[in-house]
């Protein structure tokens, strides 16, 4: 259920939307009336030559222009309000659609596919409220590279907690972000100056002064039409020649960015929105401070660029642009100014956009924390062997439908061996642990009443498949994955290890012997680790007797009700006593 604060904002925006729509309709009718009356009065003037009709006609048309400007502002407000309402609709949805799925290949780590972090019904789609590709990339990067530093995680927690309270600010931020068309952090393609000689900027000024002075002289001296004609002819010839000389430079400057002036204005708005806010959390303040460069705000620099770009775009208007370009060298002057302003900003822009993408990702986490009120902030502990979950469930499941489980480990290099029948809940529990660890090490809340953990690298092997392109078998790929784990441990990198049915690509005897030796290697590792291993191999559970301080058996049991087997999906200590493979095969008429 959407948070009450966002509901209130939505109601206010809906009221504003209908008011603006009504104003737009009324102004449309008034404009039509003024145009009709102005036209009639001008007709009366043309037929009667009464100057009063002309004055009234001009007044009506001037008022019409004012009404058109006012209407355009209302249309802009209406567009913003519509987009803000769309943002709230997105916040209402539990899951969003990933618009940049092809980017997922950039984040091919050891656990993403196993835990559904990015693909299909994923943790990313549950959290994601980003509006730009750079924001989406940043969120995927965060989820794919959990933090291992306690202080950094704590700072993230504080950042998300502060942002979660800024409901109005978040809606405005995401609405501004929605209006941006930014897919990468390099929006200016600038290499080196094309207007190397800065004195060139004086040419348009000199030409403009000469032409304007000549025009005034011709008026004052009451020159004839012929004099005006020759002046305009010479002025246009000079203007065309100068523009031709600098044609290549002007074209190169225009290619510095594909963004239009109004898109640069959108960038100014979102930068300004960040700069004006009051933040207390360290990370939020840190992001904000990076939008200031030598006491000059990023928004001011972007605003200056947008004004230059707007002036250049004005030169493309028919007739007006032709006059501006050739009488005043308008495009040349503002191209020099545009290049100068980009040169002062281009090196700063990429860091600004990176910080913008961070804020966008942080806001996604903040909304996630705020929306799922029953999730809780995990506690970071100092002991690498301490891990605790109370009433935990998978964060993508509905709480009222999920079965909650608890788990506690207080032993060094402890491995939980989890047994149980097919579809009893083993894999879901493994993913519950792994996904909540990804959330916790990102500073987000977790789907548990309580969670205590020590940040460590996360290793999973749940979905291993054949690789037809490389010719590697299932077993070879599994061995390759386990080799990565051993190398990590040899490098003294503490690990959370989550394995589903290890060595299942070989025969039963080799599997049992190999699994035992592998677990013994983990237990004896000098590097700290906590392991979760699901298996159907009940012989493996006998290791608990040999290694009581390192192996703990857990299971998911089935209940037999009228010869029908059901799982209650509750994790218990001990070894399972019920398997259901034969029962399921009979149920689906695979065997008799």
């Amino acid at each position: 259920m959407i948070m009450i604060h966002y509901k209130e904002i939505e109601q206010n925006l809906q009221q504003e939307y209908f008011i603006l729509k009504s104003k737009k309709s009324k102004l449309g009718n008034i404009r039509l009336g003024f145009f009709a009356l102005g036209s009639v009065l001008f007709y009366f003037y043309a037929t009667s030559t009464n100057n009063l009709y002309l004055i009234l006609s001009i007044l009506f048309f001037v008022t019409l222009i004012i009404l058109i400007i006012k209407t355009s502002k209302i249309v802009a407000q209406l567009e913003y309000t519509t987009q803000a309402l769309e943002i709230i609709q997105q916040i209402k949805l539990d899951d969003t659609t990933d618009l940049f799925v092809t980017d997922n290949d950039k984040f091919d780590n050891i656990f993403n596919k196993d835990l559904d972090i990015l693909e299909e019904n994923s943790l990313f789609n549950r959290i994601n409220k980003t509006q730009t590709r750079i924001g989406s990339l940043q969120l995927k990067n965060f989820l794919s590279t959990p933090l291992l530093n306690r202080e950094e995680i704590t700072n993230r927690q504080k950042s998300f907690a502060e942002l979660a309270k800024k409901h109005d600010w978040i809606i405005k931020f995401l609405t501004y972000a929605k209006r941006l068309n930014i897919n990468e952090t390099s929006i200016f393609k600038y290499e080196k100056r094309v207007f190397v000689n800065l004195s060139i900027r004086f040419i348009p000024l000199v030409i403009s002064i000469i032409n304007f002075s000549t025009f005034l002289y011709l008026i004052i001296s009451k020159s004839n039409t012929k004099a005006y004609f020759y002046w305009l002819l010479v002025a246009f010839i000079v203007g065309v020649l100068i523009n031709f000389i600098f044609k290549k430079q002007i074209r190169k400057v225009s290619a510095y960015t594909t963004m239009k002036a109004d898109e640069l204005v959108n960038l100014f708005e979102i930068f300004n929105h960040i700069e004006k806010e009051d933040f207390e959390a360290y990370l939020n303040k840190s992001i904000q401070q990076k939008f200031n460069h030598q006491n000059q705000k990023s928004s001011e620099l972007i605003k200056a660029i947008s004004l230059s770009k707007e002036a250049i775009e004005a030169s493309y208007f028919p007739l007006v642009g032709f006059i501006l370009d050739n009488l005043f060298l308008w495009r040349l002057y503002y191209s020099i100014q545009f290049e100068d302003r980009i040169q002062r900003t281009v090196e700063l822009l990429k860091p600004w956009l990176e910080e913008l993408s961070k804020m966008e990702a942080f806001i996604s986490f903040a909304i996630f924390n705020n929306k799922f009120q029953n999730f809780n902030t995990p506690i970071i502990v100092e002991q690498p062997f301490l891990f605790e979950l109370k009433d935990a469930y998978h964060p993508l499941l509905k709480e009222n439908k999920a079965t909650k489980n608890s788990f506690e480990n207080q032993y060094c290099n402890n491995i939980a061996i989890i047994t149980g029948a097919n579809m009893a809940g083993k894999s879901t529990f493994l993913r519950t642990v792994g996904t909540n660890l990804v959330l916790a090490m990102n500073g987000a809340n977790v789907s548990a009443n309580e969670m205590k953990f020590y940040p460590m690298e996360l290793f999973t092997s749940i979905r291993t498949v054949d690789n037809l392109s490389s010719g590697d078998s299932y077993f070879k790929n599994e061995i390759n994955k386990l080799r990565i784990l051993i190398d990590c441990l040899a490098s003294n990198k503490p690990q959370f290890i989550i394995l589903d049915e290890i060595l299942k690509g070989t025969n039963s005897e080799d599997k049992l012997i190999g699994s035992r030796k592998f677990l013994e290697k983990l237990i004896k590792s000098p590097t700290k680790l906590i392991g979760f291993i699901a298996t159907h191999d009940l012989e493996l559970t006998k290791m608990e007797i040999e290694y009581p301080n390192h192996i703990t058996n857990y299971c998911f049991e089935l209940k037999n009700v009228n010869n029908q087997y059901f799982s209650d999906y509750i994790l218990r200590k001990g070894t399972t006593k019920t398997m259901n493979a034969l029962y399921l095969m009979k149920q689906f008429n695979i065997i008799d």
Side-chain angles (χ1 to χ4, degrees):
M1 191 173 183
I2 191 169
M3 301 72 74
I4 187 67
H5 299 287
Y6 288 109
K7 271 191 172 181
E8 291 173 356
I9 296 170
E10 183 180 32
Q11 289 169 358
N12 293 334
L13 286 170
Q14 286 172 341
Q15 289 174 4
E16 185 179 345
Y17 174 82
F18 289 118
I19 291 169
L20 290 169
K21 202 169 183 182
S22 176
K23 282 183 179 180
K24 180 189 172 187
S25 178
K26 288 175 182 177
L27 282 173
N29 294 330
I30 294 169
R31 287 201 325 268
L32 183 61
F34 270 80
F35 176 77
L37 287 170
S39 300
V40 169
L41 288 167
F42 186 78
Y43 172 77
F44 287 159
Y45 164 73
T47 55
S48 68
T49 66
N50 186 333
N51 289 335
L52 179 61
Y53 289 134
L54 178 61
I55 294 169
L56 290 173
S57 174
I58 291 171
L59 287 173
F60 271 94
F61 280 118
V62 169
T63 306
L64 177 64
I65 292 169
I66 294 170
L67 289 172
I68 290 171
I69 294 170
K70 187 173 179 62
T71 302
S72 67
K73 290 181 179 179
I74 289 174
V75 169
Q77 289 176 300
L78 197 59
E79 183 182 1
Y80 170 85
T81 305
T82 303
Q83 290 172 330
L85 286 168
E86 289 172 1
I87 292 295
I88 292 179
Q89 291 304 312
Q90 288 181 28
I91 292 174
K92 282 184 179 181
L93 296 173
D94 282 348
D95 297 292
T96 57
T97 301
D98 186 1
L99 299 178
F100 308 104
V101 178
T102 53
D103 288 335
N104 292 346
D105 294 337
K106 296 179 173 65
F107 306 99
D108 187 21
N109 65 13
I110 202 74
F111 60 79
N112 273 353
K113 285 185 171 61
D114 284 342
L115 301 178
D116 299 313
I117 301 300
L118 303 181
E119 304 288 345
E120 298 177 359
N121 298 323
S122 63
L123 185 64
F124 170 81
N125 287 342
R126 176 59 55 89
I127 296 171
N128 181 36
K129 302 301 176 190
T130 63
Q131 302 299 310
T132 66
R133 180 171 177 243
I134 60 171
S136 170
L137 282 167
Q138 189 64 266
L139 180 57
K140 288 176 180 179
N141 177 54
F142 285 157
L143 291 172
S144 303
T145 52
L147 299 173
L148 301 177
N149 182 280
R150 179 177 181 175
E151 185 179 0
E152 289 178 2
I153 296 172
T154 303
N155 283 334
R156 283 255 190 106
Q157 290 174 346
K158 292 176 181 177
S159 169
F160 302 161
E162 181 181 51
L163 289 172
K165 298 173 184 176
K166 297 181 179 291
H167 310 99
D168 287 291
W169 188 86
I170 282 176
I171 295 298
K172 287 181 180 178
F173 179 95
L174 292 178
T175 305
Y176 291 144
K178 185 180 177 68
R179 295 155 73 93
L180 290 175
N181 183 25
I182 295 179
N183 291 327
E184 54 189 40
T185 55
S186 300
I187 62 174
F188 292 145
K189 298 175 182 177
Y190 174 88
E191 295 178 1
K192 60 180 180 179
R193 290 191 72 99
V194 295
F195 292 106
V196 180
N197 189 348
L198 295 179
S199 60
I200 295 171
R201 72 179 65 192
F202 295 109
I203 296 175
L205 295 174
V206 172
I207 293 296
S208 298
I209 291 169
I210 290 172
N211 283 331
F212 187 71
S213 299
T214 304
F215 178 66
L216 286 177
Y217 172 77
L218 292 174
I219 292 173
I220 293 168
S221 63
K222 299 181 181 180
S223 301
N224 57 28
T225 307
K226 196 173 183 181
Y228 282 101
F229 172 77
Y230 283 118
W231 162 63
L232 287 172
L233 180 63
V234 173
F236 276 114
I237 289 172
V238 171
V240 168
L241 284 173
I242 294 173
N243 282 323
F244 180 77
I245 292 169
F246 295 104
K247 182 180 178 180
K248 287 184 180 178
Q249 290 96 320
I250 292 171
R251 188 183 295 122
K252 283 183 179 179
V253 169
S254 67
Y256 282 164
T257 182
T258 57
M259 292 185 77
K260 296 179 180 178
D262 59 344
E263 291 173 329
L264 287 167
V265 170
N266 291 336
L267 192 60
F268 154 77
E269 286 176 338
I270 198 166
F271 282 3
N272 188 48
H273 189 59
I274 294 171
E275 291 164 355
K276 291 191 302 183
E277 187 59 21
D278 292 325
F279 291 116
E280 293 182 6
Y282 170 76
L283 288 179
N284 297 336
K285 288 179 72 174
S286 176
I287 289 173
Q288 185 183 53
Q289 288 166 0
K290 289 176 183 175
F291 283 90
N292 284 280
H293 176 69
Q294 296 178 354
N295 295 323
Q296 189 166 17
K297 294 179 178 179
S298 61
S299 59
E300 292 173 352
L301 293 169
I302 294 298
K303 182 68 172 177
I305 291 173
S306 71
L307 290 172
S308 297
K309 182 68 173 174
E310 188 176 15
I312 292 171
E313 289 175 1
S315 68
Y316 291 100
F317 291 141
L319 187 59
V320 174
F322 180 78
I323 294 170
L324 290 173
D325 267 353
N326 294 294
L327 283 183
F328 305 104
L329 301 180
W330 183 277
R331 196 183 308 178
L332 175 61
Y333 176 80
Y334 282 104
S335 293
I336 295 169
Q337 186 188 80
F338 185 61
E339 182 182 51
D340 185 52
R341 289 174 173 177
I342 281 185
Q343 185 192 33
R344 285 187 278 125
T345 309
V346 67
E347 296 298 326
L348 304 169
L349 188 64
K350 187 173 182 179
W352 289 340
L353 293 179
E354 286 175 353
E355 296 306 310
L356 176 67
S357 68
K358 282 183 190 176
M359 183 60 79
E360 206 174 348
F362 281 7
I363 284 172
S364 290
F365 280 117
I367 293 172
F368 175 80
N369 285 356
N370 201 349
K371 187 171 184 179
F372 297 95
Q373 294 287 313
N374 292 330
F375 286 21
N376 292 285
T377 304
I379 299 168
I380 308 169
V381 296
E382 296 183 0
Q383 302 89 347
F385 51 84
L386 183 60
F387 181 71
E388 186 177 325
L389 282 171
K390 287 185 180 179
D391 296 326
Y393 58 99
H394 196 288
L396 299 186
L397 294 177
K398 296 285 186 184
E399 185 181 10
N400 58 355
K401 293 183 179 180
T403 301
K404 299 178 180 180
N405 279 300
S406 298
F407 178 88
E408 184 177 0
N409 177 70
Q410 295 182 346
Y411 297 105
C412 185
N413 287 26
N414 185 262
I415 296 170
I417 297 179
I418 305 168
T419 55
N422 296 294
M423 299 184 292
K426 300 188 302 298
S427 295
T428 300
F429 178 73
L430 293 181
R431 290 190 175 93
T432 295
V433 173
T435 309
N436 276 310
L437 281 169
V438 171
L439 286 172
M441 289 190 285
N442 266 286
N445 290 351
V446 296
S447 53
N449 285 347
E450 188 177 322
M451 178 176 177
K452 294 179 181 178
F453 76 105
Y454 178 87
M456 299 190 291
E457 287 190 0
L458 177 60
F459 181 92
T460 66
S461 181
I462 298 174
R463 291 177 179 148
T464 306
V465 295
D466 294 336
N467 191 329
L468 296 178
S469 61
S470 66
D472 289 342
S473 66
Y474 181 100
F475 184 70
K476 177 64 163 49
N477 282 330
E478 192 175 15
I479 291 298
N480 289 340
K481 250 193 163 183
L482 295 179
R483 177 72 256 174
I484 294 171
L485 172 59
I486 295 303
D487 289 342
C488 289
L489 293 173
S491 302
N492 196 30
K493 297 177 181 177
Q495 300 283 319
F496 282 107
I497 302 168
I498 300 176
L499 308 175
D500 192 358
E501 204 66 54
I502 56 173
L503 303 181
K504 51 183 174 283
T506 187
N507 64 76
S508 299
E509 186 176 351
D510 281 352
K511 176 184 173 183
L512 177 59
I513 296 171
S515 296
R516 280 185 59 91
K517 289 185 176 296
F518 179 71
L519 293 185
E520 286 172 348
K521 187 178 182 73
L522 294 184
I523 289 167
K524 295 173 183 177
S525 170
T527 304
K528 302 294 187 293
L529 61 88
I530 296 175
F532 299 84
I533 298 176
T535 183
H536 287 97
D537 197 337
L538 301 185
E539 285 294 315
L540 207 58
T541 62
K542 293 179 181 178
M543 291 184 69
E544 184 183 42
I545 301 170
E546 191 175 350
Y547 301 100
N549 292 328
H550 295 287
I551 300 289
T552 308
N553 290 328
Y554 292 87
C555 68
F556 288 93
E557 281 291 19
L558 294 177
K559 292 183 178 181
N560 187 337
V561 181
N562 298 325
N563 290 323
Q564 298 287 321
Y565 288 93
F566 299 95
S567 175
D568 57 12
Y569 306 110
I570 294 175
L571 182 72
R572 299 174 172 86
K573 279 197 172 184
T575 305
T576 186
K577 297 177 176 60
T578 313
M579 291 297 187
N580 65 346
L582 292 176
Y583 166 76
L584 289 172
M585 293 175 76
K586 289 178 181 178
Q587 186 182 35
F588 287 94
N589 296 320
I590 296 171
I591 60 174
D592 296 325

